[in-house]
Amino acid sequence: MDLMTRFADPTLIQQMTTGEKVYASLFTTALGMLITFCALIVLWGLTAFYSKLVQNAEAKRAESALIQSKPLEKAAPPAPVSVQEDEEELVAVISAAIAATLGTSVQNIVVRHIVRVPDQTPAWGQSGRVNQMNARF
């Protein structure tokens, strides 16, 4: 009896002893685990290889960007701006915005008190807004 006809025989399992059945099931389990681990090792190797390719490409891109960029000239330090000027400008801008919204003149509006409200938006929300604004331009 050749090998293929022996394994194709449906009565083979019924003829096996309990020890042979345990041995066959352990062999099947070990073979399945071996194939799985081999596949995982191949996937791990491919992932490591591709990550190295990406890192090398990014390093080359950054290096070429550094080479192509010209050296920055030192800019003159900005003139110190007084806080009072900033507050006056802020009041003027807020007054103009309110006047435009209400459809009236700036002389009809008096801003008495401005309170800054801290931004409670999480970082991911701020990042999303910046991405949306940058996508528009």
Side-chain angles (χ1 to χ4, degrees), residues 95-105 108-109:
S95 298
I98 293 172
T101 303
L102 295 177
T104 184
S105 173
N108 296 338
I109 298 172

Side-chain angles (χ1 to χ4, degrees), residues 108-125:
N108 296 338
I109 298 172
V110 177
V111 177
R112 293 193 178 104
H113 187 66
I114 298 174
V115 178
R116 287 190 183 262
V117 178
D119 190 12
Q120 301 291 332
T121 307
W124 60 266

Side-chain angles (χ1 to χ4, degrees), residues 38-59:
C38 288
L40 288 174
I41 289 171
V42 168
L43 287 174
W44 171 78
L46 288 174
T47 305
F49 176 71
Y50 286 136
S51 68
K52 294 287 185 187
L53 284 177
V54 169
Q55 288 175 354
N56 289 341
E58 287 178 355

Side-chain angles (χ1 to χ4, degrees), residues 24-38:
S25 63
L26 289 176
F27 180 75
T28 304
T29 302
L31 186 63
M33 290 176 65
L34 178 69
I35 291 170
T36 302
F37 282 120
C38 288

Side-chain angles (χ1 to χ4, degrees), residues 53-70:
L53 284 177
V54 169
Q55 288 175 354
N56 289 341
E58 287 178 355
K60 287 180 183 177
R61 191 176 310 133
E63 184 178 307
S64 65
L66 285 176
I67 292 171
Q68 291 176 357
S69 67
K70 53 186 172 182

Side-chain angles (χ1 to χ4, degrees), residues 6-7 12-13 16-32:
R6 180 173 177 187
F7 287 122
L12 178 66
I13 293 178
M16 293 174 68
T17 64
T18 305
E20 289 174 338
K21 288 179 184 178
V22 170
Y23 175 74
S25 63
L26 289 176
F27 180 75
T28 304
T29 302
L31 186 63

